Amino acid sequence: HWYGSLPVTRRQIFLGKYCFSLLLLLASIPFMILFCGLSGLISGKFEPMVMLNSLLLGGTTSCLFLAIMLPITLIMGTVKSRYFMMILYFVAFFGTTTLAQNDVFGHLPRLLESGFDGGQLLLWLAPAAGLVLMGLSCLAFAPVYCRREYVDEI
């Protein structure tokens, strides 16, 4: 009902959601560094390389999640998309738990603790790939969001 009352377009609203999500992701970096550092100091196993690699891995998964979640939520709406998001959460968490139990991630601790080598290069490039996917998601779904018709279903 408020559409058209402000001097903004649907494309600006859509791009604003992506920019705000990216800003929140960047704002969470100091908190993640603080929490990783505190947990390392409390456990007595503080290693800066593990903290940096955890930050890179967390940023990558956050970008991937935002690249999938934002278009679905913005296009389908929060009520309709919650069921799809619930399925996505189950697949992500139960899938990784299953893979972890089968020791598929056995190489991950070695990758997180290692210095800069070939495997480490992948970990450094992964956040850039996540940002690229987020940008592609924004470019691909902005026209869909702009054409979406809002209907009251009350």
Side-chain angles (χ1 to χ4, degrees):
H1 301 302
W2 292 99
Y3 178 71
S5 64
L6 296 175
V8 293
T9 63
R10 285 187 180 188
R11 183 173 300 280
Q12 290 172 331
I13 292 170
F14 189 78
L15 294 176
K17 300 279 186 181
Y18 271 86
C19 290
F20 183 68
S21 298
L22 191 58
L23 285 175
L24 283 178
L25 180 64
L26 293 175
S28 69
I29 291 173
F31 293 107
M32 187 170 176
I33 290 172
L34 178 71
F35 292 138
C36 287
L38 285 176
S39 68
L41 290 174
I42 291 171
S43 68
K45 299 178 181 178
F46 179 73
E47 295 181 26
M49 198 63 175
V50 172
M51 185 172 66
L52 179 64
N53 292 338
S54 297
L55 184 66
L56 292 172
L57 196 60
T60 302
T61 55
S62 298
C63 285
L64 291 175
F65 181 73
L66 286 172
I68 295 169
M69 182 205 65
L70 275 173
I72 292 170
T73 304
L74 290 171
I75 292 169
M76 294 175 67
T78 56
V79 175
K80 290 180 183 177
S81 68
R82 68 181 169 191
Y83 299 112
F84 186 77
M85 289 298 136
M86 191 177 352
I87 292 169
L88 185 64
Y89 280 127
F90 281 130
V91 168
F93 291 115
F94 289 127
T96 54
T97 303
T98 304
L99 292 174
Q101 287 175 348
N102 292 326
D103 201 29
V104 173
F105 296 129
H107 66 283
L108 191 58
R110 289 191 306 274
L111 181 66
L112 289 176
E113 294 171 359
S114 67
F116 194 78
D117 59 2
Q120 187 70 18
L121 182 63
L122 177 67
L123 205 57
W124 281 88
L125 292 177
L131 287 172
V132 166
L133 281 176
M134 209 171 145
L136 290 174
S137 164
C138 181
L139 290 175
F141 289 102
V144 176
Y145 181 76
C146 291
R147 286 191 310 263
R148 184 178 187 275
E149 291 293 326
Y150 294 93
V151 178
D152 288 334
E153 296 178 5
I154 297 176

